[in-house]
């Protein structure tokens, strides 16, 4: 759930949507199940919910339905307040490459493939993915899994009797947190805003509050201002309540100095009963880790101008690396496995300044991915740095043998990460610092170069606009051909569609798309020797679809409405 929160919080592009988590306090801390597949399903469902919800909330919840000493039955659900699904389309929603309405594919992106895969994965884990929806009011995707319990568990620290006040403007969020506070044995009341909280804290005819949990983002008095006023209200009194700031992951980097010395500690969503208990213990003992956390996220500009590729299959490690690198000035591209990483490295028009390569990955591991990347002469000078938990000298020697230049130990430490990257990118960093504008100009041309294409057509802009109209239609037809042929295992037919789309992209100056199509063609040449798995086929198709959508979006920006019928 922490992995999911880290990734989903990065996708929240508007304050009109709130991502909420409701975890059953009765959930054991240790279960036997397929955590990776469960995470993939929930990430897909929650990602879809965020995509199709313009305002309101998305709720990811777990509920213990039945439990005995050895087994557990858990319902997982993702509920949103989005556009909903027409009733006559519900029975088709889990079919491959189907969406409730064809218009949603172009408006929101995607093909509906994710739900089909989610359905299969849930069934392989012994459950059934179901949906309830009402058009215009939202949807609820849910499934139930049977899992084995593990007898070992973390025992929560006993808490003293105290009375807590939860302050949050979102009614559902208040209810969830209040329920969790009560589940660990505390009395709990609620306030819907900072002003109401201050009034309740000043009441003399009711028992005092020893603890306040206040949401960071609220209209009117936000969490910080509410906390400051609580501090001013109580001054140095010994009966002043401890204050815990409840914050979403994406809110932590708003201002590195905010909150230092004001609250007693932070509690980062999603929250479990164990996390809540630990935070209360920390807050009430006046042992705050708030300043440490803020200073870690403050960041520097030591990697300013660098474009780095991180090849890592673990979602948590992806987020850690991305967060640390972004905070220190770098632009980061993520690849989720060795095949995707190799293709992104080779398809980059301007080579990455460095590649951070995980050693242990499904499919091809870091060593094999590095071997294949180093086969290309233009990749000989790109630093490839291993991300490894192995400290044996033999492992380090293996990294050097395939062409890696260094290694970074896991868990990733900030100083080691920055120092290692700096050591191998001094030329790139100096270039970025002295010619940042030039680098920006280069990166801006990586999708399409319409001017060059028009020049190649003899300067005929009108002809280019006519061809653009044809391209907008025919490119989607070729993409559908790639999809159908690829999934049916018709490699030659797939290559033909790829070759056609690559030629069209070249004519139109769609540089990035042309490069991706060429790279996929190279990949498929190996298919006559080693047939690609279903997962590899889906990866190849997703790369083609993503690249084409990015290209069409860029055309929409540079040539709005031109050539459109």
């Amino acid at each position: 759930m922490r992995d999911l929160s880290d990734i989903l919080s990065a996708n929240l592009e508007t304050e009109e949507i709130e991502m909420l988590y409701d975890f059953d306090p009765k959930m054991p801390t240790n279960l036997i199940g397929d955590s990776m597949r469960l995470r993939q399903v929930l990430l897909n469902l929650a990602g879809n919910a965020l995509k199709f919800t313009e305002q309101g909330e998305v709720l990811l919840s777990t509920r213990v339905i039945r439990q005995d000493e050895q087994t557990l039955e858990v319902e997982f659900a993702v509920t949103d307040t989005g556009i909903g699904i027409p009733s006559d389309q519900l029975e088709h929603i889990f079919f491959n490459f189907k969406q409730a309405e064809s218009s949603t594919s172009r408006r929101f992106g995607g093909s509906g493939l994710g739900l089909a895969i989610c359905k299969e994965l849930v069934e392989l884990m012994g459950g059934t993915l179901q949906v309830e929806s009402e058009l215009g009011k939202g949807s609820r995707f849910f499934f139930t899994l049977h899992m084995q319990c593990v007898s070992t568990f973390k025992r929560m620290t006993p808490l003293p009797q105290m009375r807590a006040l939860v302050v949050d403007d979102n009614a559902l969020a208040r209810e969830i947190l209040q329920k969790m506070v009560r589940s660990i044995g505390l009395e709990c009341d609620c306030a819907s805003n900072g002003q109401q909280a201050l009034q309740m804290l000043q009441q003399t005819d009711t028992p005092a509050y020893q603890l306040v949990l206040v949401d960071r983002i609220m209209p009117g008095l936000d969490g910080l201002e509410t906390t400051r006023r609580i501090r001013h209200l109580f001054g140095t009194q010994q009966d002043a309540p401890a204050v815990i700031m409840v914050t979403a992951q994406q809110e932590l980097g708003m201002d590195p100095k905010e909150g230092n010395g004001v609250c007693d500690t932070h509690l980062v969503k999603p929250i479990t009963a164990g996390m809540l208990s630990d935070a209360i213990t920390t807050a009430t003992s006046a042992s705050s880790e708030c300043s440490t956390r803020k200073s870690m996220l403050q960041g520097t500009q030591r990697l300013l101008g660098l474009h780095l590729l991180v090849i890592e299959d673990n979602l948590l490690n992806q987020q850690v690396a991305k967060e640390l690198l972004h905070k220190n000035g770098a632009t980061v591209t993520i690849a989720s496995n060795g095949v995707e990483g190799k293709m992104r490295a080779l398809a980059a028009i301007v080579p990455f300044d460095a590649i951070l390569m995980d050693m242990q990955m499904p499919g091809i591991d870091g060593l094999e991915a590095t071997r294949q990347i180093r086969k290309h002469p233009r990749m000989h000078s790109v630093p490839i740095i291993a991300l490894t938990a192995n400290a044996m000298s033999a492992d380090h020697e293996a990294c050097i043998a395939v062409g890696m230049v260094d290694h970074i130990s896991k868990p990733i430490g900030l100083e080691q990460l920055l120092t290692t990257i700096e050591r191998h990118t001094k030329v790139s960093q100096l270039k970025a610092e002295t010619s940042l504008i030039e680098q920006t100009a280069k990166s801006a041309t990586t999708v399409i170069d319409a001017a060059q294409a028009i020049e190649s057509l003899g300067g005929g802009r009108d002809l280019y606009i006519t061809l653009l109209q044809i391209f907008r239609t025919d490119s989607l037809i070729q993409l559908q051909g790639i999809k159908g042929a690829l999934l049916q295992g018709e490699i030659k037919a797939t290559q033909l569609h790829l070759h056609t789309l690559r030629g069209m992209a070249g004519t139109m100056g769609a540089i990035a798309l042309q490069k991706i199509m060429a790279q996929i063609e190279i990949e498929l040449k190996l298919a006559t020797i080693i047939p690609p798995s279903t997962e590899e086929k889906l990866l190849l198709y997703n790369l083609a679809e993503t690249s084409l959508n990015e290209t069409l979006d860029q055309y929409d920006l540079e040539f709005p409405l031109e050539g459109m019928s």
Side-chain angles (χ1 to χ4, degrees):
M1 293 302 178
R2 172 63 64 200
D3 290 355
L4 289 173
S5 173
D6 290 343
I7 296 172
L8 293 172
S9 63
N11 293 328
L12 285 173
E13 300 177 352
T14 172
E15 292 184 2
E16 296 294 319
I17 307 173
E18 184 156 5
M19 187 74 213
L20 301 174
Y21 303 86
D22 185 7
F23 302 148
D24 194 330
K26 298 191 296 293
M27 183 78 71
T29 58
N30 293 279
L31 297 171
I32 297 176
D34 192 333
S35 60
M36 183 179 75
R37 299 305 181 194
L38 179 59
R39 181 170 53 202
Q40 288 176 334
V41 170
L42 293 176
L43 180 61
N44 195 295
L45 294 178
N48 281 345
L50 290 173
K51 183 190 300 184
F52 293 105
T53 302
E54 294 183 351
Q55 61 181 3
E57 57 222 8
V58 173
L59 173 66
L60 195 161
S61 61
T62 67
R63 183 167 63 97
V64 176
I65 297 176
R66 189 177 297 106
Q67 181 179 7
D68 56 35
E69 292 183 357
Q70 296 182 330
T71 62
L72 187 74
E73 188 175 343
V74 185
E75 180 191 74
F76 297 87
V78 175
T79 307
D80 65 65
T81 57
I83 62 175
I85 305 166
S87 57
D88 61 341
Q89 296 293 332
L90 287 176
E91 58 183 296
H92 306 296
I93 197 67
F94 297 117
F95 287 1
N96 282 342
F97 305 107
K98 296 289 185 182
Q99 285 190 323
E101 296 183 50
S102 58
S103 62
T104 62
S105 181
R106 190 73 181 106
R107 178 183 174 193
F108 294 101
S111 59
L113 174 63
L115 287 179
I117 294 177
C118 287
K119 179 177 181 293
E120 292 180 14
L121 290 176
V122 171
E123 290 175 351
L124 288 171
M125 290 188 288
T128 302
L129 181 57
Q130 302 177 70
V131 60
E132 299 170 344
S133 185
E134 185 174 351
L135 192 61
K137 293 189 176 180
S139 304
R140 179 176 182 265
F141 288 83
F142 60 99
F143 56 94
T144 301
L145 297 182
H146 297 265
M147 289 178 281
Q148 288 180 281
C149 300
V150 182
S151 57
T152 58
F153 64 94
K154 176 185 176 183
R155 191 177 301 277
M156 289 190 296
T157 304
L159 296 171
Q161 288 296 315
M162 64 177 70
R163 192 161 174 250
L165 178 63
V166 168
V167 189
D168 199 309
D169 62 298
N170 185 290
L172 183 55
R174 287 198 306 272
E175 179 184 348
I176 291 170
L177 190 51
Q178 182 186 44
K179 180 177 67 174
M180 186 169 292
V181 171
R182 288 176 173 173
S183 75
I184 61 175
L186 305 185
E187 296 182 46
C188 186
D189 297 325
C190 291
S192 59
N193 55 62
Q195 195 64 48
Q196 183 185 7
L198 291 169
Q199 293 172 358
M200 295 175 68
L201 287 167
Q202 295 179 74
Q203 292 176 359
T204 58
D205 56 344
T206 58
Y209 295 98
Q210 291 78 43
L211 176 69
V212 179
L213 297 104
V214 57
D215 187 43
R216 169 64 183 83
I217 302 295
M218 295 187 295
L221 297 181
D222 64 9
L224 281 175
E225 184 57 31
T226 299
T227 304
R228 290 190 184 101
R229 296 197 183 191
I230 292 174
R231 295 302 191 214
H232 179 74
L233 177 64
F234 286 89
T236 59
Q237 296 178 33
Q238 297 226 342
D239 59 350
V243 180
I244 299 176
M245 188 76 70
V246 181
T247 178
Q249 184 69 35
Q250 78 276 8
E251 298 165 8
L252 286 178
M254 297 179 65
D255 183 342
K257 296 181 180 179
E258 284 189 343
N260 287 358
V262 179
C263 62
D264 291 296
T265 191
H266 283 88
L267 194 55
V268 182
K269 303 172 185 177
I271 301 166
T272 65
M275 291 167 55
L276 177 61
S277 177
D278 290 344
I280 293 173
T281 300
T282 299
T284 54
S285 64
S287 175
S288 174
E289 297 178 0
C290 175
S291 298
T292 303
R293 175 62 173 160
K294 289 291 185 178
S295 62
M296 284 182 62
L297 289 179
Q298 184 172 2
T300 66
Q301 296 298 300
R302 289 167 62 178
L303 305 181
L304 181 64
L306 297 186
H307 189 185
L308 307 174
L309 173 63
V310 176
I311 306 175
E312 166 68 66
D313 67 309
N314 182 276
L315 300 177
L316 180 61
N317 289 338
Q318 286 178 9
Q319 187 66 21
V320 169
K322 185 176 182 179
E323 182 80 7
L324 295 178
L325 295 171
H326 268 318
K327 291 293 180 182
N328 287 276
T331 300
V332 182
T333 296
I334 298 291
S336 298
N337 55 57
V339 174
E340 181 186 358
K342 180 190 72 172
M343 294 181 66
R344 289 194 179 279
L346 299 180
I349 295 174
V350 178
F352 291 97
D353 292 297
I355 299 172
L356 305 183
M357 178 78 72
D358 182 33
M359 295 299 296
Q360 302 295 329
M361 293 183 290
I364 66 173
D365 61 14
L367 294 175
E368 181 57 31
T370 301
R371 288 191 193 98
Q372 296 186 22
I373 290 172
R374 290 300 193 209
K375 289 180 181 178
H376 299 261
R378 67 188 293 263
M379 300 304 297
H380 288 175
S381 60
V382 178
I384 302 179
I385 301 168
L387 298 174
T388 176
N390 298 329
M392 301 295 290
S393 59
D395 298 311
H396 299 162
E397 292 170 3
C399 293
I400 300 301
V402 297
M404 294 183 176
V405 298
D406 213 327
H407 72 277
I408 295 172
S409 301
K410 294 182 180 179
I412 299 173
L414 176 60
E415 186 56 35
Q416 184 195 17
L417 178 69
L418 298 180
T419 302
T420 305
I421 294 174
E422 286 176 327
R423 183 161 56 245
H424 298 286
T425 58
K426 289 181 179 179
V427 174
S428 297
Q429 187 178 12
L430 179 61
K431 182 179 179 182
E433 292 173 347
T434 57
S435 185
L436 185 57
I437 295 177
E438 179 183 347
Q439 287 290 321
T440 304
K442 279 188 177 182
S443 64
T445 63
T446 58
V447 180
I448 62 173
D449 188 349
Q452 179 61 44
I454 292 173
E455 183 179 340
S456 300
L457 293 171
R461 179 182 172 85
D462 291 342
L463 174 58
Y464 185 79
I465 295 301
T466 301
L467 294 177
L468 177 56
Q469 182 178 9
I470 298 172
F471 177 78
R472 281 180 166 126
T473 302
D474 285 6
S475 61
L476 292 172
I477 294 174
Q478 294 302 324
L479 182 66
Q480 293 300 310
I482 293 170
K483 174 177 64 181
L486 190 60
L487 293 182
Q488 291 175 21
E490 299 175 359
I491 301 302
K492 289 187 177 180
T494 305
Q495 290 174 320
L496 178 61
H497 288 295
L498 286 166
H499 187 76
T500 301
L501 184 53
R502 178 162 66 94
M504 294 167 58
T507 300
M508 300 306 299
I511 300 173
L513 178 63
Q514 182 184 25
K515 193 79 173 179
I516 288 290
M517 295 304 103
Q519 191 57 44
I520 296 176
E521 280 191 81
I522 294 173
E523 284 295 317
L524 287 179
K525 287 181 180 180
L526 300 174
T528 57
I529 304 172
I530 306 174
S533 65
T534 300
E535 185 173 314
E536 289 171 330
K537 291 177 183 177
L538 294 175
L539 171 62
L540 294 175
Y541 170 71
N542 287 336
L543 283 172
E545 181 186 43
T546 299
S547 182
L548 178 57
N549 282 336
E550 289 175 351
T551 301
L552 293 176
D553 288 343
Q554 190 65 32
Y555 278 123
D556 290 346
L557 288 174
E558 295 196 20
F559 298 91
L561 303 180
E562 293 191 69
M564 291 187 177
S565 58

